[in-house]
Amino acid sequence: MGKRENRKWIKVLQNIGFTIFMAVMIFLILTTAQSRITGREPKLFNHRIYVVDSGSMSPTIKVDSMIIVKELKPNEINKMDIITYYGHDKNSRVTHRAIEIKNNGESFVTKGDANEVEDPMPVEGEKLIGKVVFSIPYIGKVFRFLNTQLGMVVLIILVTLWIIAPLVLRRLKKPNKYVA
């Protein structure tokens, strides 16, 4: 393969990477917008999206990671699964490892990977949200920023530039046939 062919493949791979990146960003933006409009947690196909606020699961799941939690029934959880559940009230969520399962999911003994001891109280099965199936480190910072007024303004400006910039560049590249 010549240099010209290599450059062509690099350009194709860059375009594919950019398209995938934009698709993921659009998905995240739409999910966040849906959540803000409905007032509910971001959810898609029985999966919920959360941003990790504490280091209790480090190094497995870092602070500011985005986690995807598959909704499951208590009897579908296995020992050592990382689970997310409601904390002391419906407004708090906790993500810890299930180190023991009692009575087929009636309750769970949990522990954060970074913690020395297990959590003081077993988690009741009805508080279970589901099992963590995926995590993306640090993307939570983007979510937090997009939830601010400044973040929304920056997002609108970037999307506008993304739409307008190619039009302006095309216009600048065309020769002006009206110039004497």
Side-chain angles (χ1 to χ4, degrees):
M1 273 199 282
K3 286 185 180 181
R4 182 172 282 185
E5 248 184 80
N6 283 342
R7 279 190 228 138
K8 185 178 175 182
W9 279 106
I10 290 171
K11 187 70 171 169
V12 167
L13 291 175
Q14 286 175 333
N15 287 339
I16 290 170
F18 179 75
T19 302
I20 291 170
F21 172 77
M22 288 308 295
V24 168
M25 291 309 293
I26 289 168
F27 164 75
L28 294 175
I29 290 164
L30 291 175
T31 303
T32 302
Q34 172 249 338
S35 165
R36 287 187 117 195
I37 291 167
T38 62
R40 297 182 188 155
E41 297 173 343
K43 180 178 174 178
L44 185 66
F45 304 119
N46 291 331
H47 289 74
R48 297 188 194 191
I49 300 170
Y50 298 102
V51 175
V52 176
D53 290 326
S54 81
S56 67
M57 282 302 295
S58 291
T60 309
I61 302 174
K62 296 174 177 31
V63 174
D64 289 328
S65 293
M66 180 186 77
I67 58 172
I68 298 174
V69 177
K70 182 178 182 181
E71 294 176 343
L72 293 176
K73 295 178 182 156
N75 63 352
E76 297 175 299
I77 299 299
N78 296 309
K79 185 176 179 181
M80 302 311 286
D81 282 348
I82 298 173
I83 62 173
T84 299
Y85 52 92
Y86 293 105
H88 60 280
D89 62 33
K90 281 280 189 181
N91 294 323
S92 67
R93 317 291 176 289
V94 179
T95 298
H96 278 176
R97 192 174 299 277
I99 60 172
E100 186 181 335
I101 300 170
K102 296 184 177 184
N103 298 327
N104 199 29
E106 190 175 298
S107 67
F108 304 95
V109 176
T110 56
K111 178 182 170 298
D113 287 1
N115 298 342
E116 295 292 323
V117 296
E118 62 191 40
D119 296 336
M121 299 291 294
V123 175
E124 299 154 12
E126 68 250 13
K127 289 188 172 187
L128 177 74
I129 295 169
K131 172 184 170 179
V132 175
V133 292
F134 194 70
S135 92
I136 305 172
Y138 308 115
I139 197 129
K141 289 183 181 188
V142 175
F143 268 113
R144 286 200 177 98
F145 179 68
L146 289 176
N147 276 324
T148 66
Q149 278 187 323
L150 177 61
M152 291 305 286
V153 168
V154 168
L155 179 65
I156 290 167
I157 290 170
L158 288 175
V159 168
T160 304
L161 288 174
W162 184 47
I163 293 168
I164 292 174
L167 301 173
V168 171
L169 289 174
R170 262 189 249 130
R171 176 79 58 159
L172 290 174
K173 285 183 181 179
K174 286 184 181 178
N176 191 346
K177 59 184 175 185
Y178 300 110
V179 175

